[in-house]
């Protein structure tokens, strides 16, 4: 992509409405635009990162055996009357009527709808276990939408729903998601800690929130500091290995971790003082096992091996992609801007032409740009007429992992400068060596 053709409305001033660093940087880098309170458009730079986050989530859901579907945003109120949640959900639900005056709603979550899909087709235990997920917009009319897309009213959620014949089966399905979440957050460059959590309007009594530490987090969390050393499940984890997955779960829940709602001060105080960690955190995912809370009132049952009907056991598993983008920024930035982990960076490298019009600078940048693209990389070429200082500031702000700088003098010598955005380390290389270095990392 050439920056001269890329829509990236950078703000020079710090936006006044932004209280936390991720919101400020997302607005300054032209990633998002607020359309009304808690409702955002995603502009090209932000959309690129969001798509990368979604792709990682999807790969790990698929790896665990879940099936992707896409349910609508608009739901009929009838389904929610069946489960009994239509009245319970309160003002957070956006209720609407169609032209026939039928009550509809903008989905805040999809337990009812997915249970309706399930009961329409699945009649035998032989089709279980089943996990259906989608990545779709949700709407919750939050009292206090704030911090940009961190707590918005319209937000993207990956929500997965598992169906099993028995409670034991459902616990295995829960453990699959637990392991998939550990892998997902790790690949996003985050260390997320599973903590015992309150279940709120989703229900059930077996639930974990995945929390990352950040001073600006909305939750107060307490845990043992051993979490920092726990291993992430490997890419070749066998998700059908019941005992293997249970041992991952057992290990990751073997030491104390809880959010303030579930906090047990006595248990926490029993941990040696030097091993206690109390901090603020951001909830990036939340998983629930709630048994037959929806399947029972909605009649989702299958024939078991005993020839009898059984109400299925269910769980649901949420991740917030539009929250993850600011959460990653909270975890990874400095005073000059964002520092993306390579896995979600909007571009692989930014090529800074310090003097467009200079023959050596232009040809160096063109060669680099073509070579990186030929190797399957996605570079951003800053070919604008901005001053060099402004170009450096933009490159730092948007946080692309590598900067390649072509100035008139070095370009005339066949050289470029590479800058690592995270460490700030710089090195001068020949053009060929720079291309080799960038493409061999693939
Ligand atoms: N049905 C269940 C799980 S599928 C559910 O709705 N869970 S939840 O309420 O905990 O939401 C799941 C995830 O969505 C949260 O962990 C969070 O990452 C994200 N999320 C929830 N509310 C918001 C919001 N207002 N803004 C941005 N992300 C949100």
């Amino acid at each position: 992509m050439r920056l001269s053709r890329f829509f990236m409305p950078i703000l020079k001033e710090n936006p006044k409405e932004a209280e936390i660093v991720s919101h400020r940087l997302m607005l300054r880098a032209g990633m998002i635009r607020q359309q009304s309170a808690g409702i955002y458009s995603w502009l090209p730079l932000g959309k690129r990162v969001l798509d990368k986050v979604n792709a990682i989530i999807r790969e790990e859901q698929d790896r665990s055996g879940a099936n992707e579907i896409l349910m609508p945003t608009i739901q009929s109120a009838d389904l929610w009357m069946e489960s009994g949640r239509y009245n319970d959900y309160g003002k957070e639900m956006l209720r609407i009527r169609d032209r026939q005056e039928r009550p509809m709603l903008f989905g805040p979550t999809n337990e009812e709808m997915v249970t309706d899909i399930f009961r329409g087709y699945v009649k035998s235990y032989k089709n279980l276990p089943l996990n259906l997920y989608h990545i779709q917009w949700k709407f919750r009319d939050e009292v206090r939408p704030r911090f940009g897309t961190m707590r918005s009213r319209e937000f993207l959620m990956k929500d997965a729903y598992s169906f099993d014949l028995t409670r034991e089966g459902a616990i295995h399905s829960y453990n699959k998601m637990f392991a998939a979440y550990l892998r997902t957050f790790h690949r996003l460059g985050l260390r997320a800690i599973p903590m015992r959590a309150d279940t709120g309007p989703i229900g059930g009594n077996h639930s974990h929130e995945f929390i990352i530490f950040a001073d600006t987090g909305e939750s107060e969390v307490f845990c043992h500091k051993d979490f920092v050393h726990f291993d992430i499940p490997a890419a070749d984890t066998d998700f059908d290995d019941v005992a293997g997955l249970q041992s991952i779960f057992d290990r990751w829940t073997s030491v104390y971790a809880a959010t303030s709602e579930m906090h047990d001060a006595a248990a926490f105080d029993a941990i040696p003082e030097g091993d206690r960690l109390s901090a603020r955190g951001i909830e990036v995912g939340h998983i629930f096992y709630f048994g037959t809370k929806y399947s029972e009132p909605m009649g989702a049952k299958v024939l078991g091996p005993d020839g009898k009907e059984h109400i299925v056991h269910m769980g649901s598993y949420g991740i917030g992609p539009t929250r993850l983008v600011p959460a990653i920024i909270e975890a990874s930035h400095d005073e000059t801007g964002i520092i993306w982990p390579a896995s979600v960076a909007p571009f692989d490298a930014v090529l800074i032409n310090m003097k467009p019009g200079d023959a050596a600078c232009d040809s160096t940048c063109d060669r680099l740009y073509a070579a990186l693209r030929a190797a399957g990389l996605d570079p951003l070429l800053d070919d604008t007429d901005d001053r060099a200082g402004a170009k450096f500031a933009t490159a730092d702000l948007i946080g692309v992992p590598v900067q390649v700088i072509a100035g008139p003098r070095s370009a005339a010598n066949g050289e470029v400068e590479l800058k690592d955005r995270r460490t700030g380390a710089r090195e001068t290389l020949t053009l060929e060596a720079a291309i080799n270095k960038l493409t061999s990392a693939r």
Side-chain angles (χ1 to χ4, degrees), residues 109 111 140 142 149-152 155 157 159 161 202 283-286 288 316-320 323:
T109 176
E111 280 81 5
R140 292 182 184 170
E142 302 263 352
T149 64
M150 186 79 86
R151 176 169 296 282
S152 49
F155 59 95
M157 193 196 289
D159 35 331
Y161 302 88
I202 308 294
E283 178 205 315
V284 286
H286 198 164
F288 306 78
S316 74
Y317 314 90
I319 289 187
R323 173 177 291 181

Side-chain angles (χ1 to χ4, degrees), residues 26 31 42 44-62 68 133-137 149 155-159 180-181 183-190 212 283-285 318-330 338-347:
M26 286 176 79
M31 294 176 66
W42 286 75
L45 190 76
K47 176 71 164 51
R48 280 175 168 255
V49 178
L50 184 59
D51 284 349
K52 292 207 167 178
V53 168
N54 284 335
I56 290 175
I57 292 172
R58 186 173 278 125
E59 273 177 36
E60 295 302 331
Q61 291 291 292
D62 293 348
E68 186 170 8
Y133 78 96
H134 71 164
I135 302 179
Q136 177 61 294
W137 294 98
T149 64
F155 59 95
L156 208 51
M157 193 196 289
K158 183 289 297 179
D159 35 331
Y181 275 35
R183 286 193 47 77
T184 303
F185 296 124
H186 176 70
R187 288 187 60 194
L188 295 171
L190 298 171
I212 64 156
E283 178 205 315
V284 286
I319 289 187
T322 48
R323 173 177 291 181
L324 272 165
V325 174
I328 293 168
I329 298 175
E330 290 294 329
I338 303 166
I339 305 175
W340 294 115
S343 59
V344 298
F347 295 97

Side-chain angles (χ1 to χ4, degrees), residues 161-309:
Y161 302 88
S162 66
F163 301 88
D164 283 272
L165 180 66
T166 60
R167 182 176 193 282
E168 293 67 45
I171 294 299
H172 179 216
S173 292
Y174 188 93
N175 292 345
K176 285 186 195 171
M177 286 291 115
F178 190 92
Y181 275 35
L182 291 174
R183 286 193 47 77
T184 303
F185 296 124
H186 176 70
R187 288 187 60 194
L188 295 171
L190 298 171
R191 178 143 285 252
I193 298 187
M195 305 201 175
R196 275 170 12 92
D198 189 21
T199 57
I202 308 294
N205 53 19
H206 186 58
S207 170
H208 290 85
E209 282 178 13
F210 287 76
I211 304 270
I212 64 156
F213 294 128
D215 296 339
T216 50
E218 292 185 285
S219 325
E220 203 184 347
V221 297
F222 305 86
C223 74
H224 196 291
K225 93 176 185 308
D226 270 4
F227 274 109
V228 181
H229 311 297
F230 286 178
D231 289 338
I232 302 296
D236 62 358
T237 297
D238 177 0
F239 282 84
D240 293 324
D241 175 0
V242 175
L245 283 195
Q246 187 62 46
S247 73
I248 293 172
F249 175 86
D250 290 345
R251 167 105 174 112
W252 277 86
T253 53
S254 59
V255 292
Y256 188 82
T259 60
S260 54
E261 295 94 8
M262 301 296 278
H263 186 46
D264 173 349
F268 188 63
D269 290 345
I271 302 171
E273 194 163 356
D275 291 340
R276 283 181 223 158
L277 232 158
S278 76
R280 301 208 68 82
I282 301 169
E283 178 205 315
V284 286
H286 198 164
I287 61 178
F288 306 78
Y289 163 67
F290 42 70
T292 58
K293 174 170 173 181
Y294 303 91
S295 47
E296 176 139 28
M298 295 186 67
K301 47 194 179 226
V302 294
L303 276 182
D306 54 4
K308 296 194 185 123
E309 283 193 324

Side-chain angles (χ1 to χ4, degrees), residues 387-442:
R387 288 177 301 104
K391 292 188 176 193
F392 296 143
T394 297
D396 281 350
L397 172 65
I398 66 173
V400 173
V402 191
Q403 300 172 12
V404 188
I405 301 151
R409 207 170 316 144
S410 56
N413 285 336
E415 288 175 342
V416 289
E417 193 180 14
L418 258 61
K419 178 181 154 189
D420 180 308
R421 173 67 183 88
R422 187 174 296 278
T423 63
R426 293 165 181 271
E427 58 180 333
T428 300
L429 294 175
T430 64
L431 183 55
E432 293 313 316
I435 292 172
N436 275 338
K437 178 162 183 168
L438 293 168
T439 56
S440 64
R442 274 262 121 168

